[in-house]
mmCIF file of all heavy atoms in Angstrom:
data_model
loop_
_atom_site.group_PDB
_atom_site.id
_atom_site.type_symbol
_atom_site.label_atom_id
_atom_site.label_comp_id
_atom_site.label_asym_id
_atom_site.label_seq_id
_atom_site.Cartn_x
_atom_site.Cartn_y
_atom_site.Cartn_z
ATOM 1 N N ILE A 100 24.527 -17.807 -42.658
ATOM 2 C CA ILE A 100 25.626 -18.730 -42.388
ATOM 3 C C ILE A 100 25.268 -20.080 -42.990
ATOM 4 O O ILE A 100 24.225 -20.655 -42.680
ATOM 5 C CB ILE A 100 25.885 -18.849 -40.877
ATOM 6 C CG1 ILE A 100 26.277 -17.479 -40.322
ATOM 7 C CG2 ILE A 100 26.978 -19.886 -40.596
ATOM 8 C CD1 ILE A 100 26.378 -17.403 -38.832
ATOM 9 N N ALA A 105 29.866 -27.484 -36.105
ATOM 10 C CA ALA A 105 30.372 -26.778 -34.924
ATOM 11 C C ALA A 105 30.794 -25.345 -35.260
ATOM 12 O O ALA A 105 30.423 -24.396 -34.560
ATOM 13 C CB ALA A 105 31.544 -27.553 -34.339
ATOM 14 N N TRP A 106 31.555 -25.172 -36.342
ATOM 15 C CA TRP A 106 32.079 -23.843 -36.665
ATOM 16 C C TRP A 106 30.973 -22.920 -37.161
ATOM 17 O O TRP A 106 30.898 -21.758 -36.755
ATOM 18 C CB TRP A 106 33.194 -23.973 -37.681
ATOM 19 C CG TRP A 106 34.005 -22.741 -37.937
ATOM 20 C CD1 TRP A 106 34.420 -22.305 -39.159
ATOM 21 C CD2 TRP A 106 34.530 -21.796 -36.995
ATOM 22 N NE1 TRP A 106 35.166 -21.152 -39.035
ATOM 23 C CE2 TRP A 106 35.255 -20.808 -37.720
ATOM 24 C CE3 TRP A 106 34.446 -21.675 -35.604
ATOM 25 C CZ2 TRP A 106 35.888 -19.730 -37.097
ATOM 26 C CZ3 TRP A 106 35.083 -20.596 -34.977
ATOM 27 C CH2 TRP A 106 35.781 -19.646 -35.721
ATOM 28 N N GLY A 107 30.092 -23.414 -38.020
ATOM 29 C CA GLY A 107 28.984 -22.582 -38.474
ATOM 30 C C GLY A 107 28.096 -22.147 -37.329
ATOM 31 O O GLY A 107 27.666 -20.986 -37.256
ATOM 32 N N THR A 108 27.817 -23.061 -36.408
ATOM 33 C CA THR A 108 26.985 -22.734 -35.245
ATOM 34 C C THR A 108 27.674 -21.725 -34.345
ATOM 35 O O THR A 108 27.046 -20.795 -33.828
ATOM 36 C CB THR A 108 26.648 -24.010 -34.456
ATOM 37 O OG1 THR A 108 26.005 -24.946 -35.329
ATOM 38 C CG2 THR A 108 25.723 -23.705 -33.289
ATOM 39 N N ALA A 109 28.983 -21.888 -34.157
ATOM 40 C CA ALA A 109 29.729 -20.931 -33.335
ATOM 41 C C ALA A 109 29.712 -19.540 -33.964
ATOM 42 O O ALA A 109 29.562 -18.524 -33.264
ATOM 43 C CB ALA A 109 31.165 -21.419 -33.165
ATOM 44 N N LEU A 110 29.851 -19.471 -35.273
ATOM 45 C CA LEU A 110 29.795 -18.180 -35.963
ATOM 46 C C LEU A 110 28.401 -17.559 -35.861
ATOM 47 O O LEU A 110 28.265 -16.336 -35.768
ATOM 48 C CB LEU A 110 30.189 -18.357 -37.432
ATOM 49 C CG LEU A 110 31.659 -18.686 -37.684
ATOM 50 C CD1 LEU A 110 31.873 -19.109 -39.134
ATOM 51 C CD2 LEU A 110 32.563 -17.500 -37.336
ATOM 52 N N ALA A 111 27.380 -18.398 -35.858
ATOM 53 C CA ALA A 111 26.015 -17.888 -35.668
ATOM 54 C C ALA A 111 25.867 -17.287 -34.273
ATOM 55 O O ALA A 111 25.272 -16.209 -34.109
ATOM 56 C CB ALA A 111 25.006 -19.019 -35.874
ATOM 57 N N ALA A 112 26.413 -17.983 -33.270
ATOM 58 C CA ALA A 112 26.351 -17.459 -31.904
ATOM 59 C C ALA A 112 27.094 -16.130 -31.801
ATOM 60 O O ALA A 112 26.616 -15.171 -31.173
ATOM 61 C CB ALA A 112 26.943 -18.480 -30.932
ATOM 62 N N LEU A 113 28.257 -16.069 -32.423
ATOM 63 C CA LEU A 113 29.053 -14.839 -32.397
ATOM 64 C C LEU A 113 28.309 -13.679 -33.044
ATOM 65 O O LEU A 113 28.165 -12.602 -32.443
ATOM 66 C CB LEU A 113 30.377 -15.071 -33.136
ATOM 67 C CG LEU A 113 31.178 -13.815 -33.479
ATOM 68 C CD1 LEU A 113 31.779 -13.209 -32.231
ATOM 69 C CD2 LEU A 113 32.256 -14.122 -34.519
ATOM 70 N N THR A 114 27.828 -13.873 -34.267
ATOM 71 C CA THR A 114 27.197 -12.765 -34.992
ATOM 72 C C THR A 114 25.866 -12.353 -34.365
ATOM 73 O O THR A 114 25.506 -11.181 -34.397
ATOM 74 C CB THR A 114 27.009 -13.128 -36.476
ATOM 75 O OG1 THR A 114 26.421 -14.436 -36.592
ATOM 76 C CG2 THR A 114 28.338 -13.135 -37.212
ATOM 77 N N ALA A 115 25.156 -13.318 -33.784
ATOM 78 C CA ALA A 115 23.920 -12.971 -33.078
ATOM 79 C C ALA A 115 24.228 -12.130 -31.846
ATOM 80 O O ALA A 115 23.526 -11.146 -31.552
ATOM 81 C CB ALA A 115 23.171 -14.238 -32.682
ATOM 82 N N THR A 116 25.298 -12.473 -31.139
ATOM 83 C CA THR A 116 25.702 -11.711 -29.959
ATOM 84 C C THR A 116 26.114 -10.288 -30.338
ATOM 85 O O THR A 116 25.920 -9.345 -29.555
ATOM 86 C CB THR A 116 26.868 -12.423 -29.239
ATOM 87 O OG1 THR A 116 26.451 -13.732 -28.860
ATOM 88 C CG2 THR A 116 27.290 -11.663 -27.995
ATOM 89 N N LEU A 117 26.649 -10.140 -31.539
ATOM 90 C CA LEU A 117 27.041 -8.811 -32.022
ATOM 91 C C LEU A 117 25.838 -7.962 -32.441
ATOM 92 O O LEU A 117 25.986 -6.787 -32.774
ATOM 93 C CB LEU A 117 28.006 -8.941 -33.203
ATOM 94 C CG LEU A 117 29.393 -9.508 -32.887
ATOM 95 C CD1 LEU A 117 30.179 -9.750 -34.172
ATOM 96 C CD2 LEU A 117 30.161 -8.589 -31.951
ATOM 97 N N GLY A 118 24.650 -8.580 -32.455
ATOM 98 C CA GLY A 118 23.430 -7.829 -32.760
ATOM 99 C C GLY A 118 22.937 -7.934 -34.179
ATOM 100 O O GLY A 118 21.975 -7.250 -34.560
ATOM 101 N N HIS A 119 23.545 -8.790 -34.989
ATOM 102 C CA HIS A 119 23.092 -8.953 -36.369
ATOM 103 C C HIS A 119 21.911 -9.920 -36.437
ATOM 104 O O HIS A 119 21.713 -10.760 -35.549
ATOM 105 C CB HIS A 119 24.243 -9.479 -37.237
ATOM 106 C CG HIS A 119 25.429 -8.569 -37.284
ATOM 107 N ND1 HIS A 119 25.359 -7.280 -37.772
ATOM 108 C CD2 HIS A 119 26.726 -8.760 -36.895
ATOM 109 C CE1 HIS A 119 26.550 -6.716 -37.694
ATOM 110 N NE2 HIS A 119 27.399 -7.585 -37.171
ATOM 111 N N VAL A 121 20.586 -13.148 -37.776
ATOM 112 C CA VAL A 121 21.347 -14.330 -38.181
ATOM 113 C C VAL A 121 20.425 -15.430 -38.669
ATOM 114 O O VAL A 121 19.497 -15.851 -37.957
ATOM 115 C CB VAL A 121 22.208 -14.845 -37.011
ATOM 116 C CG1 VAL A 121 22.959 -16.106 -37.421
ATOM 117 C CG2 VAL A 121 23.185 -13.761 -36.563
ATOM 118 N N LEU A 123 20.771 -19.292 -40.097
ATOM 119 C CA LEU A 123 21.715 -20.402 -40.136
ATOM 120 C C LEU A 123 21.128 -21.549 -40.942
ATOM 121 O O LEU A 123 20.085 -22.099 -40.582
ATOM 122 C CB LEU A 123 22.028 -20.856 -38.706
ATOM 123 C CG LEU A 123 22.936 -22.074 -38.525
ATOM 124 C CD1 LEU A 123 24.308 -21.839 -39.144
ATOM 125 C CD2 LEU A 123 23.080 -22.392 -37.026
ATOM 126 N N LEU A 144 27.897 -29.072 -30.511
ATOM 127 C CA LEU A 144 28.266 -28.206 -29.392
ATOM 128 C C LEU A 144 27.363 -28.480 -28.197
ATOM 129 O O LEU A 144 26.583 -27.624 -27.770
ATOM 130 C CB LEU A 144 28.168 -26.734 -29.805
ATOM 131 C CG LEU A 144 29.163 -26.253 -30.867
ATOM 132 C CD1 LEU A 144 28.839 -24.824 -31.276
ATOM 133 C CD2 LEU A 144 30.598 -26.359 -30.377
ATOM 134 N N ILE A 147 26.138 -26.133 -24.735
ATOM 135 C CA ILE A 147 26.290 -24.699 -24.984
ATOM 136 C C ILE A 147 24.949 -24.119 -25.384
ATOM 137 O O ILE A 147 24.298 -24.596 -26.306
ATOM 138 C CB ILE A 147 27.340 -24.427 -26.083
ATOM 139 C CG1 ILE A 147 28.735 -24.759 -25.557
ATOM 140 C CG2 ILE A 147 27.277 -22.975 -26.552
ATOM 141 C CD1 ILE A 147 29.850 -24.489 -26.523
ATOM 142 N N SER A 148 24.520 -23.088 -24.665
ATOM 143 C CA SER A 148 23.256 -22.414 -24.969
ATOM 144 C C SER A 148 23.498 -21.366 -26.049
ATOM 145 O O SER A 148 24.411 -20.543 -25.930
ATOM 146 C CB SER A 148 22.689 -21.750 -23.712
ATOM 147 O OG SER A 148 22.368 -22.721 -22.738
ATOM 148 N N LEU A 149 22.674 -21.418 -27.078
ATOM 149 C CA LEU A 149 22.815 -20.493 -28.205
ATOM 150 C C LEU A 149 21.835 -19.332 -28.069
ATOM 151 O O LEU A 149 20.754 -19.486 -27.482
ATOM 152 C CB LEU A 149 22.549 -21.230 -29.517
ATOM 153 C CG LEU A 149 23.444 -22.438 -29.801
ATOM 154 C CD1 LEU A 149 22.935 -23.199 -31.019
ATOM 155 C CD2 LEU A 149 24.891 -22.006 -30.001
ATOM 156 N N PRO A 150 22.155 -18.172 -28.610
ATOM 157 C CA PRO A 150 21.210 -17.050 -28.586
ATOM 158 C C PRO A 150 19.886 -17.433 -29.243
ATOM 159 O O PRO A 150 19.869 -18.075 -30.301
ATOM 160 C CB PRO A 150 21.936 -15.967 -29.396
ATOM 161 C CG PRO A 150 23.377 -16.305 -29.270
ATOM 162 C CD PRO A 150 23.444 -17.800 -29.241
ATOM 163 N N THR A 152 17.924 -15.666 -30.762
ATOM 164 C CA THR A 152 17.633 -14.856 -31.951
ATOM 165 C C THR A 152 18.110 -15.535 -33.244
ATOM 166 O O THR A 152 17.777 -15.072 -34.333
ATOM 167 C CB THR A 152 18.302 -13.484 -31.837
ATOM 168 O OG1 THR A 152 19.699 -13.656 -31.570
ATOM 169 C CG2 THR A 152 17.674 -12.670 -30.717
ATOM 170 N N ILE A 153 18.877 -16.622 -33.117
ATOM 171 C CA ILE A 153 19.332 -17.337 -34.312
ATOM 172 C C ILE A 153 18.142 -18.024 -34.970
ATOM 173 O O ILE A 153 17.376 -18.733 -34.306
ATOM 174 C CB ILE A 153 20.403 -18.394 -33.953
ATOM 175 C CG1 ILE A 153 21.657 -17.721 -33.398
ATOM 176 C CG2 ILE A 153 20.755 -19.246 -35.171
ATOM 177 C CD1 ILE A 153 22.678 -18.705 -32.856
ATOM 178 N N LEU A 170 28.515 -16.101 -44.494
ATOM 179 C CA LEU A 170 29.636 -16.818 -43.910
ATOM 180 C C LEU A 170 29.512 -18.292 -44.283
ATOM 181 O O LEU A 170 28.453 -18.886 -44.115
ATOM 182 C CB LEU A 170 29.659 -16.666 -42.387
ATOM 183 C CG LEU A 170 29.661 -15.239 -41.825
ATOM 184 C CD1 LEU A 170 29.749 -15.275 -40.307
ATOM 185 C CD2 LEU A 170 30.806 -14.424 -42.397
ATOM 186 N N ALA A 232 35.734 -23.763 -32.222
ATOM 187 C CA ALA A 232 34.304 -23.465 -32.273
ATOM 188 C C ALA A 232 33.706 -23.341 -30.872
ATOM 189 O O ALA A 232 32.936 -22.418 -30.598
ATOM 190 C CB ALA A 232 33.576 -24.548 -33.074
ATOM 191 N N ARG A 233 34.062 -24.271 -29.999
ATOM 192 C CA ARG A 233 33.488 -24.247 -28.643
ATOM 193 C C ARG A 233 33.863 -22.959 -27.910
ATOM 194 O O ARG A 233 33.025 -22.359 -27.233
ATOM 195 C CB ARG A 233 33.964 -25.473 -27.867
ATOM 196 C CG ARG A 233 33.518 -25.512 -26.408
ATOM 197 C CD ARG A 233 33.864 -26.833 -25.766
ATOM 198 N NE ARG A 233 33.043 -27.897 -26.336
ATOM 199 C CZ ARG A 233 31.809 -28.174 -25.926
ATOM 200 N NH1 ARG A 233 31.256 -27.462 -24.955
ATOM 201 N NH2 ARG A 233 31.125 -29.145 -26.472
ATOM 202 N N VAL A 235 34.667 -20.002 -29.250
ATOM 203 C CA VAL A 235 33.972 -18.861 -29.860
ATOM 204 C C VAL A 235 32.500 -18.862 -29.462
ATOM 205 O O VAL A 235 31.934 -17.809 -29.137
ATOM 206 C CB VAL A 235 34.129 -18.898 -31.394
ATOM 207 C CG1 VAL A 235 33.247 -17.838 -32.060
ATOM 208 C CG2 VAL A 235 35.589 -18.684 -31.781
ATOM 209 N N ALA A 236 31.864 -20.029 -29.461
ATOM 210 C CA ALA A 236 30.451 -20.113 -29.082
ATOM 211 C C ALA A 236 30.225 -19.711 -27.624
ATOM 212 O O ALA A 236 29.169 -19.168 -27.280
ATOM 213 C CB ALA A 236 29.939 -21.538 -29.320
ATOM 214 N N ARG A 237 31.196 -19.964 -26.780
ATOM 215 C CA ARG A 237 31.092 -19.598 -25.363
ATOM 216 C C ARG A 237 31.430 -18.138 -25.114
ATOM 217 O O ARG A 237 31.284 -17.644 -23.996
ATOM 218 C CB ARG A 237 32.017 -20.480 -24.519
ATOM 219 C CG ARG A 237 31.586 -21.928 -24.430
ATOM 220 C CD ARG A 237 32.647 -22.776 -23.727
ATOM 221 N NE ARG A 237 32.887 -22.305 -22.367
ATOM 222 C CZ ARG A 237 33.971 -22.615 -21.656
ATOM 223 N NH1 ARG A 237 34.918 -23.353 -22.187
ATOM 224 N NH2 ARG A 237 34.105 -22.157 -20.415
ATOM 225 N N GLY A 238 31.922 -17.453 -26.146
ATOM 226 C CA GLY A 238 32.271 -16.049 -25.980
ATOM 227 C C GLY A 238 33.637 -15.826 -25.381
ATOM 228 O O GLY A 238 33.935 -14.726 -24.886
#
Side-chain angles (χ1 to χ4, degrees):
I100 299 172
W106 191 222
T108 303
L110 290 169
L113 166 71
T114 48
T116 301
L117 292 173
H119 299 299
V121 178
L123 176 60
L144 294 174
I147 290 182
S148 296
L149 302 171
T152 54
I153 296 172
L170 305 183
R233 176 172 291 276
V235 172
R237 291 173 60 198

